[in-house]
């Protein structure tokens, strides 16, 4: 409820998060593309209360609250989407996210024609991915979120690598196209961990990395006695 929203905004600001997006469904919810029409929407007035509570709780003027309406997803149509979007705008939302699950931008186009640029609009064109980005610019969309494509790309890459290993039983062709292990350590911040070791680990103790190395060498020769 509004208490959760106030706490959320406070905690996000403490972590230097720039914005949060909340949607007008009730808990528990599932993905919008899984029986979205059977998921009830939150009462509009109650959701507006959450927006107001979040705005009152923020201490950074630049922090943004994006209010997402699932009216199209739930099958409630354009009229309800417009009504809720306007209510959320008046409640203080910094932008409105309008979501749709059809495979064309038709819902978004109809919404923008009536909305008349009164407030920033955000979209997530997962299902209408073939739409040229220039059309979104022409419609006056402020922000486009390509929400899950890096995740899906990683799955495709892992499947391809696994298939290659199964068939070729070799890393010769695969390894040159992969990030190095050194790069993985860089992404994990291992250099920072090494600095912490120097600061916090007694000099008489062996670093965890050395213990791990010894255990690895022992395993290679069938013994962990080192």
């Amino acid at each position: 409820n509004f208490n959760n929203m106030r706490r959320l905004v406070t905690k996000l600001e403490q972590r230097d998060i720039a914005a949060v997006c909340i949607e007008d469904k009730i808990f528990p919810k599932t993905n919008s593309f899984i029986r979205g029409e059977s998921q009830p929407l939150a009462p509009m007035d109650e959701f507006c209360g959450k927006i107001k509570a979040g705005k009152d709780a923020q201490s950074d003027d630049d922090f943004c609250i994006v209010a997402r309406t699932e009216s199209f997803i739930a099958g409630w149509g354009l009229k309800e989407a417009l009504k809720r979007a306007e209510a959320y705008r008046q409640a203080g939302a910094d932008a409105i996210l309008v979501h749709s699950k059809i495979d064309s931008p038709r819902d978004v186009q109809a919404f923008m024609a009536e909305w008349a640029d009164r407030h920033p609009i955000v979209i997530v064109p997962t299902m209408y991915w073939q739409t040229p980005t220039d059309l979104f610019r022409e419609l006056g969309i402020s922000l486009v979120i390509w929400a899950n494509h890096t995740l899906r790309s990683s799955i495709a890459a892992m499947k391809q690598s696994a298939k290659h290993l199964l068939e070729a039983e070799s890393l010769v062709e695969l390894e040159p196209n992969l990030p190095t292990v050194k790069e993985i350590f860089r992404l994990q911040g291992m250099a920072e961990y090494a600095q912490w070791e120097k600061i916090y680990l007694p000099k008489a103790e062996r670093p965890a990395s050395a213990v791990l190395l010894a255990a690895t060498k022992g395993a290679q020769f069938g013994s962990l006695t080192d």
Side-chain angles (χ1 to χ4, degrees):
N1 61 15
F2 67 91
N3 279 321
N4 301 94
M5 186 62 185
R6 288 177 58 83
R7 178 173 172 80
L8 174 66
V9 170
T10 298
K11 292 300 181 181
L12 292 178
E13 284 192 328
Q14 288 174 356
R15 289 156 177 78
D16 292 328
I17 303 298
V20 65
C21 180
I22 60 172
E23 62 185 84
D24 54 3
K25 284 183 180 172
I26 62 175
F27 181 87
K29 62 149 292 200
T30 62
N31 188 283
S32 297
F33 303 134
I34 303 175
R35 299 185 303 279
E37 65 281 351
S38 66
Q39 299 177 47
L41 300 187
M44 188 169 63
D45 290 342
E46 187 265 347
F47 192 73
C48 287
K50 287 182 182 178
I51 297 171
K52 292 175 182 177
K55 295 305 292 183
D56 288 343
Q58 75 181 66
S59 57
D60 185 346
D61 291 339
D62 290 332
F63 185 84
C64 292
I65 294 177
V66 180
R68 166 171 161 172
T69 178
E70 296 278 285
S71 301
F72 286 125
I73 297 291
W76 292 23
L78 175 61
K79 184 176 180 180
E80 184 70 16
L82 288 164
K83 182 173 72 173
R84 284 175 173 262
E86 176 59 20
Y88 302 162
R89 182 185 75 85
Q90 293 187 19
D94 298 287
I96 309 297
L97 194 157
V98 181
H99 205 17
S100 173
K101 63 179 179 180
I102 63 176
D103 61 1
S104 83
R106 187 170 65 250
D107 284 343
V108 172
Q109 287 174 303
F111 180 92
M112 294 303 293
E114 297 289 336
W115 187 246
D117 294 330
R118 73 186 82 160
H119 211 49
I121 296 296
V122 182
I123 61 171
V124 188
T126 302
M127 291 302 191
Y128 47 104
W129 53 270
Q130 293 179 317
T131 306
T133 304
D134 283 343
L135 176 60
F136 301 144
R137 292 191 177 97
E138 293 171 8
L139 292 174
I141 302 296
S142 298
L143 178 67
V144 176
I145 300 175
W146 285 286
N148 50 42
H149 296 83
T150 52
L151 171 64
R152 289 160 60 191
S153 297
S154 67
I155 293 172
M158 285 188 282
K159 283 185 174 182
Q160 185 177 4
S161 294
K163 183 176 184 292
H164 176 83
L165 289 171
L166 178 65
E167 295 175 349
E169 297 183 342
S170 171
L171 294 171
V172 173
E173 295 180 4
L174 192 62
E175 185 66 30
N177 299 316
L178 299 179
T180 63
V181 174
K182 189 175 182 179
E183 171 64 5
I184 301 301
F185 290 157
R186 186 191 69 81
L187 292 172
Q188 291 178 319
M190 290 301 294
E192 186 178 8
Y193 296 154
Q195 291 298 316
W196 291 344
E197 275 190 354
K198 294 177 182 178
I199 296 173
Y200 301 116
L201 194 64
K203 293 181 179 180
E205 292 189 17
R206 299 177 66 190
S209 57
V211 175
L212 178 60
L213 179 61
T216 303
K217 288 182 176 179
Q220 290 176 341
F221 292 98
S223 172
L224 291 176
T225 57
D226 184 6

